[in-house]
Amino acid sequence: MKRSLLTVFCLLFSSFVLSGCLNKKAEKPAERPKIQETVNTVPVEKRPYSVLSFSDSGRFPVRRELKLEISDGKKAETIEYELEYQAGTLVQAGVGSINPKGEKLPLTRNILLGSCSAGGACSYNEDVKGGTLVLRFKGSEIGNLKGEWNFYGPGNDGKLASRDAKFQLSAPGLKNSYVLIAQTLGFPPKVSGEAIAGPYHLETTADKTGEMQLTMRLNEESASPVLWMWDGKELQKIQAEISGKTLTANVRSSGTYLVTK
């Protein structure tokens, strides 16, 4: 009888313990808080001209590698760069750093839209859509800079735009080409004044762009806004029409576009 009672007690105790274990909710691991970086605290006219373009290094097909060019290190100890982008359903990134004191200006880095193994075999990311560029000027008053970029391939409909949609192109001649539209992190050379649109850099693999209709959304209305285009050598003033906060112009060239007041 004592053995029977002991057996029953053990069974009840075991049932109670197991029931408690099963009903106990699994504790979720604490989520790491996302760090929000402070960016673009310095006015655009005081930042170094930093631009993305198609690389001409010759190591890879032109559309597979981008070139980052920074006009001035602004006394930074190091400059970290992070190029993040959408490729199909995946988010990819190219990262690295530059020691401004050990290099000549402009500072340049080629960033592969893909990866290479130690043995030299390379694979390329497909269906690249564009993304963001972050530059961190360590030890400099410039701080962190951030801009966006869009990437188009052959078969596009000729309706092209920056990621914020404030720079738009109707460009039938670029339907069969690769096109890059990127915010530049700073003014191109020889530009002064206050920007009320841009700067945006347009780059294409097309030999000829043909005539393109450019539309830019201004941050504010201005009595006499001026559209500028920097082609890498010369600064050109381009005739444009203004309606409220919308500027339109016919253009025929790659380059960096911005509007000043």
Side-chain angles (χ1 to χ4, degrees):
M1 184 66 177
K2 290 182 178 180
R3 181 176 296 180
S4 178
L5 289 173
L6 181 60
T7 302
V8 172
F9 175 80
C10 290
L11 288 173
L12 289 173
F13 181 79
S14 299
S15 177
F16 173 80
V17 172
L18 290 174
S19 176
C21 291
L22 291 174
N23 291 333
K24 186 178 180 180
K25 293 182 179 180
E27 295 182 2
K28 294 182 179 180
E31 295 184 1
R32 295 177 61 185
K34 294 182 179 180
I35 299 175
Q36 298 294 330
E37 289 185 293
T38 301
V39 299
N40 300 342
T41 57
V42 175
V44 64
E45 58 270 19
K46 295 183 179 181
R47 305 173 197 167
Y49 179 58
S50 307
V51 61
L52 281 175
S53 61
F54 290 112
S55 173
D56 56 1
S57 71
R59 298 181 305 167
F60 306 99
V62 172
R63 65 189 184 275
R64 302 296 191 179
E65 187 179 46
L66 301 183
K67 180 171 71 173
L68 168 63
E69 186 172 311
I70 304 170
S71 64
D72 191 338
K74 293 294 183 178
K75 300 180 180 180
E77 296 172 2
T78 59
I79 302 174
E80 297 176 354
Y81 61 88
E82 182 177 343
L83 186 75
E84 186 175 275
Y85 56 96
Q86 189 79 24
T89 59
L90 302 176
V91 175
Q92 306 285 358
V95 299
S97 63
I98 302 171
N99 179 6
K101 296 179 181 178
E103 301 187 28
K104 295 181 180 180
L105 297 177
L107 306 169
T108 61
R109 284 294 184 275
N110 293 306
I111 306 173
L112 179 65
L113 301 178
S115 59
C116 294
S117 67
C122 298
S123 61
Y124 307 119
N125 294 320
E126 302 294 341
D127 194 24
V128 175
K129 300 296 186 184
T132 59
L133 170 65
V134 176
L135 301 179
R136 303 180 182 94
F137 288 74
K138 299 296 185 179
S140 169
E141 62 180 9
I142 296 298
N144 304 324
L145 303 180
K146 184 177 182 179
E148 298 179 317
W149 57 285
N150 263 357
F151 189 98
Y152 295 89
N156 67 76
D157 61 2
K159 303 295 183 181
L160 313 172
S162 59
R163 209 162 183 82
D164 62 7
K166 293 182 179 181
F167 177 99
Q168 299 186 14
L169 277 178
S170 177
L174 301 185
K175 289 183 178 180
N176 295 318
S177 305
Y178 288 91
V179 180
L180 176 69
I181 299 176
Q183 291 176 318
T184 71
L185 307 180
F187 272 8
K190 302 180 181 180
V191 178
S192 60
E194 182 180 346
I196 54 176
Y200 296 94
H201 185 73
L202 168 67
E203 185 90 6
T204 178
T205 58
D207 293 330
K208 296 181 179 180
T209 64
E211 187 170 272
M212 304 177 290
Q213 185 179 59
L214 169 64
T215 302
M216 294 182 73
R217 180 69 174 170
L218 309 182
N219 297 331
E220 60 183 67
E221 292 188 22
S222 174
S224 55
V226 180
L227 173 63
W228 302 98
M229 193 277 288
W230 168 256
D231 64 3
K233 296 180 180 179
E234 297 179 352
L235 184 66
Q236 303 174 27
K237 183 179 179 180
I238 300 176
Q239 184 177 358
E241 296 182 358
I242 305 294
S243 177
K245 292 186 178 180
T246 301
L247 176 146
T248 58
N250 292 324
V251 298
R252 303 183 64 91
S253 176
S254 296
T256 298
Y257 290 85
L258 75 156
V259 181
T260 60
K261 64 177 182 179

